[in-house]
Amino acid sequence: MTGASSGIGAATARRLAAEGYEVVAAARRRERLDELAASVPAISAVTLDVTSAESVAELAASLDDVAVLVNNAGGALGVEPIERADPADWRQMYETNVIGVLRVTQALLPALERGAGGHIVVTGSIAGHLVYEGGAGYTAAKHGATAVVETLRLELNGRPVRVTEVAPGMVHTEEFSLVRLRGDQTAADRVYEGVKNPLTADDIADCIAFAVTRPAHVNIDLLVVKPLAQAAPYKVARS
Ligand code: 8X3
C-alpha cells in the first residue's frame, strides 16, 4: 500500500487489515506511518519514496509474496490554467502518479506472481477519464495512470494477476486539496463548501476492499465513484 500515511491510503490500510490482510503501509512520512502501525497490529510501516528507484528496490527486497499491491501514492499540484501552469508541477505530478505506479509495479510484479495470485490496484481519479479547466496537469497525469492500468491488463493477460483502477471524484480528505492549493486551508475548505456529503477516504477504501475480495477469477476493471452531489468534476450541487 503506497501513499499510506494519510487519506485514502491510511483508510485502505486499516480496512484491508480488518479484512485479514497483513498490510505493509508505505509512504515518505515515517512518523504518520508509525502512528498507523501502532494502532493496528496487522499494519507494519515502511518508508518509501515512489520517485526513488533505490527506495522502491529496498521495499521490493523486504517483501516475499505479495497478494495485493495498492498504488495509491500521487496527488494534484496547482489549479492554474495551461497558459500559466508551471512545468515543474506537471513533472512532479507525472513522476508520482505515473512513474511511481510504473516503478512500484515493476518492482513488485515477481512477488505478486509468486503466491496464489496477485492483484494490482491503482487509485486513479475521475480526472483520468475527464478534463476540466485548471486541471490539465493533473488530468494529464491521471489519464497517464489510466493508460498504464489499461495497458498492464493487456500485457498481463494469461498471468495470475488482476488489475483494477478505482477512480474517485470528490473525496474530502485532510490533504488532497490542501496540497493542490499549496497549503491554503481557506481555499481548500472552499472546495467542499456547501457540498452535502462528499465521499470520505473510507468510502474509497470500501471500493478497494470490494475489488480485492472478489473471487480470484473476477477482475473489476474500473470503479468510478463520485458523491451523489457531484455529477462531473465541475458540476457539484452546493447549498
Ligand atoms: C480528485 C478528483 O475532481 O479533483 O482526484 O479531479 S478531482
Side-chain angles (χ1 to χ4, degrees):
M1 172 93 234
T2 71
S5 57
S6 73
I8 292 170
T12 304
R14 278 201 196 89
R15 175 60 189 269
L16 293 181
E19 296 283 346
Y21 290 88
E22 260 178 58
V23 178
V24 177
R28 279 168 307 172
R29 290 173 301 177
R30 188 53 192 261
E31 266 172 40
R32 278 176 168 256
L33 286 178
D34 284 340
E35 269 173 46
L36 180 66
S39 64
V40 183
I43 299 180
S44 57
V46 170
T47 309
L48 172 72
D49 176 358
V50 299
T51 69
S52 154
E54 297 75 47
S55 176
V56 172
E58 249 176 63
L59 169 73
S62 75
L63 299 172
D64 198 12
D65 291 359
V66 175
V68 179
L69 160 63
V70 184
N71 282 296
N72 174 72
L77 210 49
V79 289
E80 293 78 15
I82 291 167
E83 64 180 335
R84 289 198 305 277
D86 184 345
D89 289 340
W90 286 41
R91 209 169 277 127
Q92 191 175 328
M93 286 188 277
Y94 196 80
E95 189 67 42
T96 53
N97 291 286
V98 184
I99 311 282
V101 172
L102 171 68
R103 278 193 211 289
V104 181
T105 299
Q106 276 182 342
L108 296 196
L109 204 43
L112 283 155
E113 284 200 279
R114 262 200 297 272
H119 196 157
I120 297 165
V121 179
V122 174
T123 306
S125 170
I126 56 171
H129 301 268
L130 295 158
V131 297
Y132 51 91
E133 291 141 293
Y138 182 58
T139 58
K142 283 302 194 189
H143 273 72
T146 296
V148 172
V149 169
E150 296 292 317
T151 308
L152 191 59
R153 193 179 304 111
L154 295 172
E155 291 177 353
L156 294 181
N157 182 242
R159 289 158 67 178
V161 182
R162 297 187 281 176
V163 182
T164 297
E165 177 186 349
V166 175
M170 183 184 277
V171 184
H172 194 173
T173 59
E174 208 182 313
E175 290 185 320
F176 178 81
S177 291
L178 192 62
V179 171
R180 180 177 219 172
L181 295 161
R182 307 179 200 287
D184 183 340
Q185 188 67 62
T186 310
D189 291 344
R190 218 177 292 132
V191 172
Y192 311 101
E193 211 168 72
V195 181
K196 192 177 170 197
N197 298 327
L199 295 176
T200 65
D202 285 333
D203 292 324
I204 304 308
D206 193 36
C207 294
I208 294 172
F210 172 78
V212 305
T213 56
R214 293 312 87 208
H217 69 287
V218 178
N219 193 97
I220 306 286
D221 285 12
L222 171 65
L223 286 172
V224 179
V225 195
K226 299 196 267 46
L228 179 59
Q230 184 180 41
Y234 40 78
K235 177 79 178 169
V236 179
R238 293 177 198 269
S239 57

